[in-house]
Amino acid sequence: ALSFERGCHVVLSVDCTSVSQRGERPHMHIVRGIVDRVDEENIHLRASLDDVARLERVIRTQKKQGALCFRIDRDEVATGVGTLRQNVINLFAGTLKEGEEGSLKMLRSANMRRLIVAGEPPKFKDSMATDLFQTAQTSFSVPGCDLECLCFEFWELNPDQQAAVQRVMACQDYALVQGLPGTGKSS
């Protein structure tokens, strides 16, 4: 079950058929908003005046055709864009001065800024990546990870995919995997 709390970005939709001069066509009307209040039977949203006016028009025109059924969903796009925006802000904000101590997050941001913005090449280590998939019987474990299953799946990959996985596993900073659609980046 979904739960909506105050401040949650949502999309309010109504599935209906609208009639235009060209005939009937399926149409979905959408209002984006933020949850303002939730009580036993209602979810109250804040939305722009334009969106409210559009929703009122939909209700007026569609009432004649019968009952309206509304749907409310979390707005993953709004929260995703917000996360991206905050990550960019974090990348450029919070610079530490020489010799100053700071949080791990600030140190990580300074490191990522040096790598991504200044163009310093990422660092890779050789040891773990070359022998990680040689056998499922390794001397270490990763919580929540079945290394035996990963080892089996690794050997199902083609040689280029195996090389990419080994390179990613060896990175100390970041790795970027590029390739045309359908070349197995998600495999």
Side-chain angles (χ1 to χ4, degrees):
L2 284 176
S3 65
F4 298 98
E5 60 277 343
R6 187 175 185 349
C8 179
H9 291 263
V10 295
V11 176
L12 180 69
S13 309
V14 55
D15 286 315
C16 58
T17 303
S18 62
V19 180
S20 67
Q21 282 112 5
R22 292 181 236 147
E24 284 192 13
R25 62 185 173 84
H27 195 80
M28 181 176 277
H29 301 276
I30 298 176
V31 173
R32 292 184 189 274
I34 297 174
V35 174
D36 188 50
R37 191 173 78 240
V38 178
D39 57 41
E40 296 268 334
E41 296 180 8
N42 300 298
I43 298 175
H44 301 264
L45 305 178
R46 285 182 290 150
S48 72
L49 291 176
D50 290 340
D51 282 351
V52 171
R54 180 173 45 249
L55 183 61
E56 288 172 344
R57 281 193 308 274
V58 168
I59 292 170
R60 274 194 310 276
T61 58
Q62 298 303 319
K63 259 187 182 175
K64 302 169 199 164
Q65 296 179 355
L68 286 174
C69 181
F70 291 95
R71 174 186 172 114
I72 188 167
D73 296 289
R74 287 187 179 267
D75 188 355
E76 301 298 337
V77 172
T79 53
V81 170
T83 300
L84 291 173
R85 182 177 37 237
Q86 189 60 49
N87 287 343
V88 170
I89 290 168
N90 289 343
L91 181 64
F92 290 100
T95 303
L96 292 172
K97 295 181 177 104
E98 187 76 27
E100 186 179 27
E101 288 189 34
S103 71
L104 183 59
K105 186 176 183 179
M106 287 179 69
L107 293 170
R108 177 86 175 137
S109 292
N111 186 44
M112 294 305 289
R113 188 170 40 256
R114 191 180 75 254
L115 293 164
I116 296 170
V117 178
E120 185 177 306
K123 296 179 187 91
F124 295 88
K125 52 186 169 186
D126 296 326
S127 60
M128 185 174 128
T130 55
D131 59 359
L132 178 64
F133 297 107
Q134 296 303 318
T135 176
Q137 307 301 323
T138 59
S139 60
F140 63 93
S141 67
V142 178
C145 182
D146 183 351
L147 292 175
E148 187 174 334
C149 182
L150 283 178
C151 184
F152 175 78
E153 289 178 4
F154 174 79
W155 293 108
E156 295 291 313
L157 299 174
N158 68 42
D160 289 334
Q161 291 170 320
Q162 288 178 3
V165 168
Q166 287 178 326
R167 189 73 170 157
V168 167
M169 294 300 294
C171 75
Q172 292 177 314
D173 302 308
Y174 72 95
L176 177 64
V177 178
Q178 292 180 300
L180 295 171
T183 56
K185 295 179 297 297
S186 299
S187 297

